[in-house]
Amino acid sequence: MVGVYKVAVSLPAEAQATALQTTLPMTFRCCGGKALIVLPDGSRAVGTPAMTIDNTMIKLIARAHRWQQLLLQGVYSSIEELAEAEAMNPSYVSRVMRLACLAH
């Protein structure tokens, strides 16, 4: 994949006389099944995206841990009772409770 790559663009006849040619020194490398553009200094042409924090997921995990503690402390005796107290559907509470079992 190393070499010179040319991209052909069709131009109208009147524009061909003033067409410009641009040369960009770069190579392509495969990494993890993806083609990466590598610049002459060895850096990647496109940087890696910054990590983002999913606040919704954090809130759900915190809610699941709180609910789990309420059940373990005996404040509520069942998920149905907890769901009624929180004014939520027991199915939803049950699905969110699974998040409390994620590894720390």
Side-chain angles (χ1 to χ4, degrees):
M1 297 191 96
V2 176
V4 177
Y5 295 89
K6 292 186 178 183
V7 178
V9 178
S10 298
L11 297 174
E14 60 273 3
Q16 287 182 0
T18 60
L20 300 174
Q21 180 178 358
T22 303
T23 304
L24 301 172
M26 62 181 167
T27 58
F28 292 87
R29 291 205 181 117
C30 285
C31 182
K34 296 179 182 179
L36 297 175
I37 298 173
V38 181
L39 300 176
D41 65 355
S43 65
R44 293 181 180 181
V46 179
T48 56
M51 281 189 4
T52 58
I53 297 173
D54 189 348
N55 289 323
T56 304
M57 182 61 74
I58 291 172
K59 288 177 185 178
L60 284 173
I61 292 170
R63 180 179 280 177
H65 280 282
R66 185 175 66 84
W67 289 347
Q68 184 181 39
Q69 287 303 311
L70 291 172
L71 288 171
L72 291 174
Q73 292 169 357
V75 176
Y76 300 107
S77 60
S78 67
I79 289 179
E80 289 79 15
E81 189 179 327
L82 173 64
E84 186 178 330
E86 296 283 332
M88 295 185 179
N89 188 316
S91 175
Y92 173 76
V93 173
S94 178
R95 282 183 279 132
V96 172
M97 286 287 297
R98 294 181 198 154
L99 298 174
C101 297
L102 293 174
H104 293 77

